[in-house]
Amino acid sequence: MTAGNLCCGFVAIIFCIKANYEMRHDGVQVVSELSPAAIGYFKWAVWLILGAAAFDTLDGRLARMGGRESLFGAEFDSLADVVSFGLVPALLVFFLILSPTHGYPIFQQLGGFLSFIYLLCAAIRLARFNVITNPLLHRDSKDSSKDFLGLPVPAAAGTVASLVLALLSLAESDRDIHRWAVALPPLLVLIAILMVSTVRYPSGKKVDLQTSTRLSTFVLIVVVAGALIMFKEFGLLACTLGYIFFGLIRHWRRARVARKQRLANSV
């Protein structure tokens, strides 16, 4: 499963490079004039990121089900994640939006730097995750939190991929995506910061077929699944952005409650 994750990342890089060649016309090409071939290659890269996320979900679950969890598996998984969820989204955004030859003018000079910042934060996030979850370093840890510390790298890559997919959908409709593409670099920076932040995000690792839930939660899951089927690219974008801002809002609310409690105790 981890090798499948890595394979998806490698092939996605190839498609990003092919799309970049398709976008060049005498050395210059604008985003709003994406050729059908370039759109197709970029879409393949996006779907491969999502495929890598599926493999990443399966490898951990299968290892836990079979009692085959190991430090080697954790390290191998992180190395694959750096490629699929770090390097590929960075290249995707750079080639589509930030490249000096055809990127959005405001970000032409900062394109490579912004993409590297995303890749750097993804690598740091994965390294921190390995340290936090290393059983040899935390034998006596009693932290039973089911949350991730910082935005998970697959969720970060999924958000970038879903936004790119929505932009490509607009491009296929012969719409100028320049005014929408300007939102991608700031979002990239926000995602990078959240990956190395202390904001906690819910984890689905403990969810399985035996998990029980409230009726209202089950109905919400069904509604979200229906929205994904009906609205496709934009539904996926709404889900990924909803996950990001859910963590931010919950973090802000918890910080406010904690601050009120400290003030009450100090009185």
Side-chain angles (χ1 to χ4, degrees), residues 45-62:
V46 168
W47 290 118
L48 284 166
I49 291 175
L50 300 179
F55 278 116
D56 185 59
T57 301
L58 288 173
D59 65 2
R61 287 186 179 274
L62 291 177

Side-chain angles (χ1 to χ4, degrees), residues 213-228 239 242 246:
T213 184
R214 292 179 297 179
L215 179 61
S216 57
T217 304
F218 178 75
V219 172
L220 178 61
I221 293 173
V222 173
V223 171
V224 170
L228 284 173
C239 289
F246 170 79

Side-chain angles (χ1 to χ4, degrees), residues 149-231:
L149 184 64
L151 181 66
V153 177
T159 304
V160 173
S162 60
L163 183 53
V164 169
L165 199 60
L167 290 174
L168 293 174
S169 179
L170 292 175
E172 283 185 317
S173 303
D174 295 326
R175 298 182 185 179
D176 183 3
I177 64 173
H178 270 87
R179 56 183 177 179
W180 301 105
V182 71
L184 195 53
L187 181 62
L188 195 70
V189 174
L190 173 63
I191 291 172
I193 294 173
L194 288 175
M195 281 192 288
V196 296
S197 71
T198 57
V199 178
R200 290 188 175 271
Y201 282 89
S203 167
K205 288 187 176 182
K206 302 297 182 180
V207 178
D208 55 28
L209 295 178
Q210 303 299 321
T211 302
S212 59
T213 184
R214 292 179 297 179
L215 179 61
S216 57
T217 304
F218 178 75
V219 172
L220 178 61
I221 293 173
V222 173
V223 171
V224 170
L228 284 173
I229 295 172
M230 290 180 61
F231 299 104

